Structure formats: structure tokens, C-alpha cells
Amino acid sequence: MEKREKELCRLALEAREQAYCPYSGFAVGAALLCDDGKMYTGCNIESSSYSPSICAERVAFAKAVSEGERDFVAIAVAGANRGEMPKTECPPCGVCRQVMAEFCDFEKFIVLMVKSKNEYTKCTLKELFPWAFGVENLQKGD
Ligand code: THU
């Protein structure tokens, strides 16, 4: 997996170049690896009214899911001030974690947080998002 992990991190860094972040100045890129080997990238896209803004991770998921993908292996995320290289990890926000929880296996899905050009921190979705709310928590009528 190591070679593909590095490739995913490289793609996440590259995707940052497309970030539309005039309000925060914080450019994020993501690269999502599907079970069939395809990779989908995303960048954050902000709005002047702020709440319609969307994170890089969810853009990557939306692109993949809308192409019919349902099985996911790993995602790489890279974030830093626009024009700078990451100096530390960009952990996915809570909303993005919930979207990952919708589609991904907690034990198997890998999250790679890019730390610098050649370093990343790796964890499972379970480590990133313990005690997630899930479909099993929905109370259906008796
Ligand atoms: N952002 C992401 O794209 N992904 C994350 O996981 C954290 C935050 C974006 C949202 C906003 O455009 C900017 O980074 C600052 O919060």
C-alpha cells in the first residue's frame, strides 16, 4: 500500500492548487482511493455567505459517489495556508468524518493526513471517529 499511499498524498497536495478559498486563505486538497483502483480528487470551495462552503474531502466523495463508486479504501488530506506547504496535519472536520462514516468501513478505511511534502500520519476511520452516529442508532418504529 505504501506506494499508493504516497501517490494519494501527492495527488492531495496537487489538488490544493485548485482550492477556491478567498475567505479563509486555507487551501485543502484531498485524494480518495476506490476499491476499483480509481482515484478522485477534491479541493475546498468557499462561499461569501460561508455556510455553503464545502471541504475538499466531501468534494472528492461527491465526485466519486456521483460516478457510481461505493467502495472506498483510503483518503489523503493536505491543508495549509494558500501558497505554503503543510507544516502539520489537516485532520478532517466532523462533517467530513460523518460522510466517511456513511460510506466506509470503520476498521479498514485509512485516512492519511499529509504533514509535509514527504511525511504523513496514518489512521483508521475508527481511530479518527470513535463513537460515530450511524444507521444502527436510528430508532425505527417498534
Ligand atoms: N477544510 C477542508 O476542506 N477540509 C477539512 O478537513 C478542514 C477544513 C476547509 C474548509 C474551509 O474552506 C477552510 O478549510 C478553512 O476551514
Side-chain angles (χ1 to χ4, degrees), residues 1-14:
M1 178 88 177
E2 178 142 349
K3 201 168 161 224
R4 270 192 314 177
E5 286 177 2
K6 286 187 179 157
E7 172 67 356
L8 267 190
C9 290
R10 190 189 67 72
L11 287 172
L13 284 166
E14 197 177 272

Side-chain angles (χ1 to χ4, degrees), residues 18-21 23-24 26-30 42-63 93 95-96 99:
Q18 307 305 331
Y20 178 74
C21 53
Y23 306 105
S24 72
F26 192 76
V28 185
C43 64
N44 55 332
I45 304 171
E46 297 181 349
S47 162
S48 57
S49 69
Y50 293 6
S51 55
S53 300
I54 183 167
C55 295
E57 297 92 315
R58 276 177 288 138
V59 169
F61 268 95
K63 285 167 72 176
C93 81
V95 176
C96 290
V99 170

Side-chain angles (χ1 to χ4, degrees), residues 87-105:
K87 295 183 197 78
T88 185
E89 291 90 344
C90 174
C93 81
V95 176
C96 290
R97 291 176 200 205
Q98 192 70 47
V99 170
M100 291 175 199
E102 184 68 29
F103 290 104
C104 306
D105 184 298

Side-chain angles (χ1 to χ4, degrees), residues 7 9 12 32 66 86 107:
E7 172 67 356
C9 290
L32 177 63
S66 64
E107 318 269 342

